[in-house]
Amino acid sequence: MEGPFRMLDGHEQVVYGSDPQTGMRCIIAIYSTALGPALGGTRFYPYTSENDALVDVLRLSRAMAYKAACAGLDLGGGKAVILGDPARDKSEALLRAYGRVVESLSGRYVTACDVGTSPGDLAVVARETRWATGADAVEGGSGDSGIMTAYGTYVGMRACAERVWGSPSLGNRHVAVQGLGKVGRRLAEKLHADGAKLTVADVDDTATAWCAERLGADVVSGDKIHAIDADVFSPNALGGVIDDGALAELQCRIVAGAANNQLAEARHGDALTVAGILYAPDYVVNAGGLIQVADELQPGGYRLERVRARTERIADRLHEVLTLAETERLSTAAAADRFAERRMAAVGRLRRFWLPPR
Ligand code: NAI
């Protein structure tokens, strides 16, 4: 295959949208609708080139399909990017122009928040399309997904503890938390409530001061936190934190956090296994936010109890993935991919292309 099709790499559909009046330029990528509508957030980012934007949206939409499949959701995977600087270019008209592109896909793609977009922005997008989730609760959405993402990560961390120490309790464990934003701070609070000892790092001194004062956490710098002599290292800030340098310094038995793309390269997943460190695949444990926004699509709308129950099942999914890794001698990250691919193939075959309701 040649030209643009060569880039698609298994994606079902890529849509370019533009509105010269507002300057809106977007790309929506649908990796798969085999399991249901392709849900994934809208990233508003000042890409240096159109090609960078395309590469990013293709990568992100594929990752969403794997995450949804692994979470047991009836959702495919999609993602959108708006090319521009959100601080300078964002306007009501631009967001609404974007909403019309989303609406034109009649529900094959459903959007949500991502880097550069907020629940308030999604409420604006939703004025032009039925296919937008993640708005504030007062606007009919499910609000900040960080709370459920933190809860799912906590549930996943407990499942890892059970695997390694025979008990899910984190009460007498030492956890090193990197990143104290919407997810990391909530996670730290839950761990503290259980009685865990905390060491934390964030580039924002206010966030670390809050954790030191309220949760009794020790504070270290962001480039040292992975090397702390703790039971668990929990990355909740950046991607790519598990690289050759970090691997040589890790002292923990478990890596479990919400940050996306924690492994710098796939081979680092194998290296963690060799080092005897249990890695909770990022997209398995950080699916709580996706489970939350997906619930807005349920008949009758979002229900917190259902979201909590489904988020708690992250523990079961993780155990299945970890067992698969053991039986098929894979890294836990590769096992998660295989688990997702099997579900997409087996269940997706029943559905083929998802058709929006008429
Ligand atoms: P956030 O932007 O609210 O928090 C990130 C925190 O990391 C901030 O406090 C920031 O100061 C800190 N940080 C940045 N660079 C750092 C460094 N070098 N060292 C230490 N701390 C640093 O983001 P949020 O929502 O808490 O997300 C955290 C991670 O979880 C991200 O990787 C995100 O992609 C991922 N995630 C979030 C979900 C959600 O529902 N919010 C869902 C799934 C994944």
Side-chain angles (χ1 to χ4, degrees):
M1 234 178 286
E2 290 180 29
F5 286 105
R6 195 169 44 83
M7 304 270 304
L8 290 194
D9 188 27
H11 289 69
E12 271 177 28
Q13 190 177 15
V14 176
V15 174
Y16 283 70
S18 87
D19 177 55
Q21 276 189 329
T22 59
M24 190 281 298
R25 291 183 304 150
C26 69
I27 312 174
I28 298 176
I30 295 176
Y31 179 72
S32 166
T33 54
L35 293 176
L39 195 153
T42 301
R43 184 163 292 193
F44 201 142
Y45 192 76
Y47 292 100
T48 46
S49 72
E50 286 175 25
N51 194 60
D52 284 358
L54 177 61
V55 168
D56 204 30
V57 77
L58 292 175
R59 179 180 65 83
L60 292 166
S61 58
R62 185 173 184 277
M64 288 308 296
Y66 277 69
K67 182 162 165 171
C70 230
L73 296 168
D74 291 338
L75 288 176
K79 201 90 180 185
V81 292
I82 300 177
L83 289 73
D85 179 351
R88 192 191 59 204
D89 303 326
K90 203 187 280 178
S91 67
E92 179 192 346
L94 182 148
L95 290 170
R96 292 181 75 149
Y98 167 66
R100 290 188 172 217
V101 183
V102 175
E103 181 64 17
S104 76
L105 292 167
S106 307
R108 282 177 47 74
Y109 169 66
V110 182
T111 195
C113 286
D114 195 68
V115 174
T117 53
S118 66
D121 297 334
L122 266 296
V124 177
V125 172
R127 288 165 76 175
E128 299 294 338
T129 179
R130 290 161 290 166
W131 309 110
T133 61
D136 284 319
V138 285
E139 298 287 350
S142 59
D144 181 359
S145 61
I147 300 168
M148 209 48 73
T149 302
Y151 184 53
T153 306
Y154 166 76
V155 164
M157 196 183 286
R158 280 174 53 87
C160 290
E162 187 170 15
R163 213 82 186 182
V164 171
W165 297 298
S167 159
S169 172
L170 295 161
N172 55 353
R173 301 290 166 194
H174 179 184
V175 185
V177 181
Q178 180 183 45
L180 301 165
K182 294 183 286 297
V183 177
R185 204 193 76 182
R186 267 85 171 238
L187 177 64
E189 283 179 292
K190 283 204 77 63
L191 294 167
H192 173 71
D194 281 1
K197 171 176 164 50
L198 295 172
T199 301
V200 299
D202 196 296
V203 288
D204 176 357
D205 293 341
T206 336
T208 51
W210 187 91
C211 279
E213 193 183 318
R214 302 284 287 272
L215 312 180
D218 290 337
V219 177
V220 297
S221 71
D223 58 349
K224 292 274 178 292
I225 184 83
H226 64 272
I228 294 296
D229 184 9
D231 298 301
V232 183
F233 170 49
S234 183
N236 299 284
L238 317 163
V241 285
I242 308 294
D243 57 12
D244 290 333
L247 257 159
E249 294 175 346
L250 283 175
Q251 302 199 51
C252 58
R253 288 294 314 281
I254 293 170
V255 174
N260 280 311
N261 304 317
Q262 288 166 35
L263 303 178
E265 294 172 42
R267 68 183 171 85
H268 294 120
D270 298 316
L272 283 168
T273 308
V274 170
I277 298 170
L278 178 58
Y279 169 62
D282 44 21
Y283 69 74
V284 179
V285 294
N286 73 14
L290 176 64
I291 293 169
Q292 174 177 316
V293 291
D295 207 70
E296 295 180 32
L297 303 174
Q298 294 285 315
Y302 169 75
R303 274 197 14 236
L304 179 60
E305 319 82 76
R306 179 171 54 211
V307 171
R308 272 188 76 87
R310 289 186 172 175
T311 301
E312 278 163 12
R313 277 184 226 140
I314 284 176
D316 302 332
R317 301 276 165 199
L318 187 58
H319 279 303
E320 285 180 75
V321 166
L322 299 179
T323 301
L324 184 68
E326 282 164 15
T327 52
E328 302 201 8
R329 295 181 161 276
L330 296 166
S331 71
T332 55
D337 286 355
R338 190 163 294 179
F339 184 90
E341 283 159 5
R342 285 187 181 161
R343 182 161 179 264
M344 281 190 264
V347 182
R349 200 152 39 146
L350 307 175
R351 301 177 65 119
R352 294 289 172 194
F353 270 55
W354 181 80
L355 298 174
R358 287 176 185 276

